[in-house]
Amino acid sequence: MDVLRRKRAEKRNKRALMMNPYWKKEMAQLFSDVDKNRDGFLTIEEMINNTRPLKVHCNAPEYKMEALANAYKEFWGHVGLKPGRKVGKTQFLKGLSKLGREELDREAAGVPTLHSRVSHALFDIIDANNNNRLQKKEIAQWMAASGLNPDNADKMFQEADRSGKGYISRDELIEAEFCSFFHPEKCMTQLGVKVV
């Protein structure tokens, strides 16, 4: 019975991303945050330029930045962001919702997701001391580079380090990032937010 319930929930999640008001609001905010020139369109170049502060805040070498840019091109290309092409907010949300369904299918099949490639590249950048563990200081630097308040690093750290071992592993970052993009209800429940 639990397997049947889980499969039904997965099916609802796949259909519901674009219909989920929380997801839609968060992804619309992402669009607005990256649309620095406020022209109502995004390009892959804007998405990649948005990662440039990581180079300074996380002291990332160029080869790591290039790996992230390549992962971005693949991931965001499936949303419709291709070199020289502008995408409006509605098209962005529809493309990301479609990609989300595909990513959930890959996850369910045990196949690596496109998003995991982005998260691996991101982890490599955040992990400034290359010990394969993210410390609070590294999370704060990442948050500062992302335009977030680094004072909230403790909260984010606790949310991702659910086992309480004092660091965030690669798998925990990948899971937390995937959850925030494609499992909004699961993510909200893990954060203690009641889903109605």
Side-chain angles (χ1 to χ4, degrees):
M1 189 67 148
D2 287 336
V3 172
L4 183 59
R5 266 192 235 131
R6 191 184 77 224
K7 287 189 185 254
R8 285 181 184 153
E10 287 173 0
K11 189 174 183 179
R12 278 193 309 273
N13 281 343
K14 283 193 250 181
R15 280 194 320 253
L17 279 179
M18 189 66 170
M19 303 307 288
N20 181 304
Y22 172 79
W23 180 87
K24 195 171 183 178
K25 179 182 172 192
E26 291 297 311
M27 295 305 119
Q29 185 61 52
L30 171 65
F31 182 96
S32 296
D33 290 347
V34 177
D35 184 20
K36 304 281 189 213
N37 64 5
R38 304 288 180 238
D39 67 351
F41 293 95
L42 284 184
T43 65
I44 188 60
E45 293 81 12
E46 283 177 298
M47 292 300 281
I48 292 170
N49 284 339
N50 198 49
T51 68
R52 296 313 295 173
L54 291 168
K55 184 170 178 57
V56 174
H57 285 278
C58 299
N59 197 25
E62 194 56 43
Y63 76 92
K64 288 184 179 182
M65 295 302 297
E66 188 64 32
L68 181 60
N70 289 334
Y72 259 46
K73 286 175 188 174
E74 181 178 16
F75 179 82
W76 292 111
H78 284 267
V79 174
L81 293 167
K82 301 195 186 261
R85 183 171 180 210
K86 291 183 174 186
V87 173
K89 188 181 286 187
T90 300
Q91 186 179 0
F92 174 82
L93 293 172
K94 286 180 179 177
L96 191 53
S97 182
K98 180 179 182 282
L99 174 61
R101 288 189 305 273
E102 294 166 358
E103 290 284 85
L104 290 167
D105 286 342
R106 284 191 265 285
E107 179 192 46
V111 175
T113 64
L114 300 176
H115 192 271
S116 69
R117 184 168 174 222
V118 170
S119 294
H120 278 290
L122 184 60
F123 186 97
D124 290 340
I125 288 171
I126 300 168
D127 185 19
N129 63 4
N130 298 312
N131 69 350
N132 218 25
R133 297 175 175 191
L134 300 182
Q135 310 300 322
K136 286 181 190 174
K137 179 182 176 187
E138 292 168 322
I139 296 298
Q141 290 168 331
W142 170 38
M143 292 178 76
S146 300
L148 302 171
N149 184 349
D151 294 337
N152 294 329
D154 280 340
K155 183 178 185 221
M156 185 174 190
F157 191 85
Q158 290 171 356
E159 291 167 0
D161 179 26
R162 286 186 269 127
S163 64
K165 62 194 166 313
Y167 64 88
I168 298 172
S169 70
R170 184 177 294 271
D171 287 341
E172 286 171 326
L173 179 74
I174 290 169
E175 182 180 337
E177 284 290 298
F178 191 86
C179 183
S180 69
F181 263 80
F182 302 120
H183 284 296
E185 286 84 8
K186 177 182 171 186
C187 205
M188 291 167 63
T189 302
Q190 288 173 350
L191 298 176
V193 177
K194 185 175 180 176
V195 180
V196 288

